[in-house]
Amino acid sequence: MLNNSLNQKKSYGAFASESKSAPQENLPLNPLPPLQDRHGRTFDYVRIAVIEQCNLRCTYCMPEEGVKFKEKDMVLRTDEILRVVEVLARMGVRKVRYTGGEPTVRPDIVDIVARTAKTPGVKAVHLTTNGLLFPKYARDLREAGLFGVNISLDSLQADKFESITRRSGLEKVLESIDLAVELGFPRVKVNVVLMRGFNEDELIPFCELTKDRPITVRFIEFMPFDAHQIWESGEHFASAADLCGQIESFYQGHGLQPTSGTRTEHHIYQVPGYAGKVAVIPAFTRSLCGNCSRIRVTADGSIMNCLYSEEPYLLKDLIRNGASDDDVVALFRKAFDEKHKDGFEAKKAASVAAKINVSDISRSRASMTQIGG
Ligand code: SF4
C-alpha cells in the first residue's frame, strides 16, 4: 500500500500553507478573439507533448522492443513551445498541460513549466507523469508554479505493475503520489487505465486511495491507440458504464454521492467522509465531445484538433519557416474550423481520406506517445 508519509505530516514550509485556489490570472498581451470551431465550442486548454520518449513500456501503449523515436531536432524546442503557449494565451487559452512520452525525461521540463507559469494569460500549468522521475523534480516544479499533477498508475501490486509497464518502479510512483499531496499541489490526480482481466479487480483498492488523500482517482476507458498491442482482441475493454456500475454497487451502503469535476470527468463520486474523489472517464465511448475544449500539440509539433483525427497541421514546419504570430494564429484557426463534431466523425473522415476501414485508423501510430496520450 501507499507510503505512510501522509500521516507523518512533514512540513514543506511555504508550500504547505499555500492556498488551493488557482493563481491570479495575469492578463494576456494583445488579446485576440477566442479559438472556436464551427460547432460553437471554445478551446481554452492545450495539451502539449514535450517528448516522445518514455521510461516505461506499457503494454497498451508501446511494443516491447520500443519504437523508433524522432530525432531530437524533430521535436519542438523550448522557445518554440513557449511561443506557441504565448500565442494561444492571446487566443484565450488559460490551461496548459505538458505530457509526453514522459515529460520528466526532458531535462528542461522545470524551466518550461516556470516560463509557462509566467506567460501572460496562463492561469494554470499541469503535468502528466508516470511518477518514476517525479520525486526528483517535484519541489522545483512546485516552486516553478506547477498547479496540477496527474500521475498515471495502473496497478498497486508490484508484479502486476511490472507486467503492465514492463519495468519496475511501483514504489517510486507511490512516493510521487504522497509527495505531490505533501507539497501542496492544488490538483493531484491518479489516472488508471482500467482493463478487464488485467487490473479490473483493483477498482476498489484504487477507490480506497481517496479515503485519506485529497486526490481524484480517475478510471479511464481503455482506448484503441496501441497499433500492435493488446486492443485487438477486445477482451480487455471495460466500459465507463460498467465501471460506474461496479463503483455504485460497492459503495451503495456508504452513501456514495455524485459530485462535480472537470468537463471530461462525467461520472464523478465522493464517498461521505473521504478526502478525495473518484471519476470515470468515457474516453473511448466519446460521450463528452460536445464539451471538448482541448487543443493538442504533438511532440513533433503538429496541431491535432481531435484525439481521433489523423490530420496533422504542421505547426513546427510553419514556425521554422519563419512564420509570424499571425500565421501561427491562422493555422490554429484553420485546424479548429475544420474540427469534426465528435471523435466518431473524425475517425470516419480519416478513413475516407486514407481510403481504409474505420477500424484500421490509428494503426499507423506505433505508440500513444506520438499523440501525447
Ligand atoms: S474524441 Fe475528439 S472531440 Fe471528442 S473529446 Fe476527445 S478530442 Fe474532443
Side-chain angles (χ1 to χ4, degrees):
M1 269 289 139
L2 279 185
N3 300 339
N4 224 5
S5 43
L6 272 182
N7 302 328
Q8 293 167 10
K9 296 255 183 291
K10 284 186 199 162
S11 167
Y12 288 92
F15 294 142
S17 58
E18 266 175 32
S19 140
K20 296 257 169 193
S21 60
Q24 272 288 295
E25 189 173 338
N26 46 347
L27 293 173
L29 307 168
N30 308 319
L32 294 166
L35 183 60
Q36 286 175 323
D37 71 1
R38 60 199 149 118
H39 308 287
R41 292 173 291 202
T42 300
F43 300 86
D44 58 3
Y45 167 26
V46 64
R47 295 171 64 102
I48 303 180
V50 293
I51 193 166
E52 279 188 2
Q53 274 88 344
C54 187
N55 44 3
L56 295 180
R57 288 287 176 274
C58 297
T59 48
Y60 54 79
C61 180
M62 243 193 260
E64 187 154 17
E65 64 281 9
V67 294
K68 197 172 175 323
F69 294 114
K70 305 228 167 39
E71 302 289 319
K72 197 166 168 239
D73 198 49
M74 299 290 287
V75 170
L76 282 179
R77 300 172 191 138
T78 310
D79 287 343
E80 293 169 342
I81 292 172
L82 293 162
R83 178 165 177 216
V84 169
V85 169
E86 231 171 76
V87 169
L88 285 173
R90 288 176 55 206
M91 282 194 278
V93 166
R94 297 289 170 262
K95 176 172 168 184
V96 179
R97 173 177 301 282
Y98 289 118
T99 70
E102 170 50 42
T104 58
V105 169
R106 186 163 166 149
D108 58 351
I109 189 64
V110 175
D111 181 43
I112 294 176
V113 167
R115 291 165 68 188
T116 305
K118 290 194 190 103
T119 302
V122 171
K123 203 168 165 190
V125 190
H126 297 243
L127 184 85
T128 298
T129 174
N130 62 29
L132 288 194
L133 285 172
F134 181 75
K136 189 170 158 195
Y137 297 114
R139 286 173 183 79
D140 291 342
L141 286 167
R142 182 76 177 102
E143 253 173 276
L146 188 71
F147 186 75
V149 194
N150 283 9
I151 298 168
S152 308
L153 176 62
D154 297 331
S155 179
L156 296 166
Q157 297 168 21
D159 53 341
K160 229 194 267 179
F161 176 91
E162 285 179 31
S163 91
I164 295 174
T165 65
R166 302 192 184 102
R167 297 286 187 273
S168 55
L170 174 63
E171 281 307 314
K172 273 280 164 214
V173 187
L174 299 179
E175 184 188 333
S176 290
I177 296 170
D178 279 349
L179 190 56
V181 173
E182 288 171 20
L183 290 177
F185 283 98
R187 297 272 181 286
V188 181
K189 298 186 179 182
V190 175
N191 286 345
V192 187
V193 175
L194 229 280
M195 293 164 281
R196 225 163 9 134
F198 255 59
N199 57 358
E200 201 185 8
D201 57 330
E202 295 194 60
L203 185 76
I204 300 306
F206 268 114
C207 291
E208 286 296 295
L209 293 183
T210 67
K211 190 171 187 172
D212 303 315
R213 297 169 182 83
I215 61 176
T216 303
V217 170
R218 312 185 326 155
F219 299 105
I220 299 171
E221 268 181 343
F222 184 33
M223 282 186 285
F225 293 122
D226 61 324
H228 313 290
Q229 299 289 294
I230 58 177
W231 169 262
E232 297 287 321
S233 68
E235 67 190 271
H236 298 303
F237 180 72
S239 73
D242 208 47
L243 301 175
C244 290
Q246 290 187 50
I247 294 169
E248 285 165 17
S249 77
F250 185 86
Y251 287 106
Q252 137 194 94
H254 300 70
L256 185 72
Q257 296 292 332
T259 177
S260 61
T262 64
R263 278 193 257 199
T264 52
E265 292 165 357
H266 196 55
H267 312 285
I268 178 150
Y269 310 97
Q270 188 160 29
V271 181
Y274 278 34
K277 298 173 182 178
V278 170
V280 177
I281 317 279
F284 175 72
T285 318
R286 282 164 270 182
S287 51
L288 299 175
C289 295
N291 286 335
C292 186
S293 63
R294 337 176 137 179
I295 304 157
R296 287 172 188 269
V297 177
T298 61
D300 64 354
S302 294
I303 301 168
M304 283 184 58
N305 62 15
C306 175
L307 190 53
Y308 289 86
S309 162
E310 292 278 307
E311 185 168 9
Y313 295 83
L314 305 179
L315 179 65
K316 175 176 94 291
D317 295 1
L318 188 80
I319 291 175
R320 292 195 184 164
N321 284 332
S324 67
D325 283 0
D326 287 349
D327 296 331
V328 174
V329 168
L331 188 64
F332 275 106
R333 295 222 190 274
K334 176 175 160 57
F336 282 84
D337 197 48
E338 293 174 0
K339 182 173 164 70
H340 291 281
K341 182 170 102 285
D342 55 33
F344 294 101
E345 294 289 321
K347 212 169 163 182
K348 215 188 304 160
S351 78
V352 170
K355 299 195 177 71
I356 55 175
N357 290 328
V358 171
S359 58
D360 288 332
I361 289 293
S362 308
R363 280 175 210 241
S364 55
R365 289 177 191 135
S367 164
M368 189 111 154
T369 64
Q370 294 174 334
I371 47 169

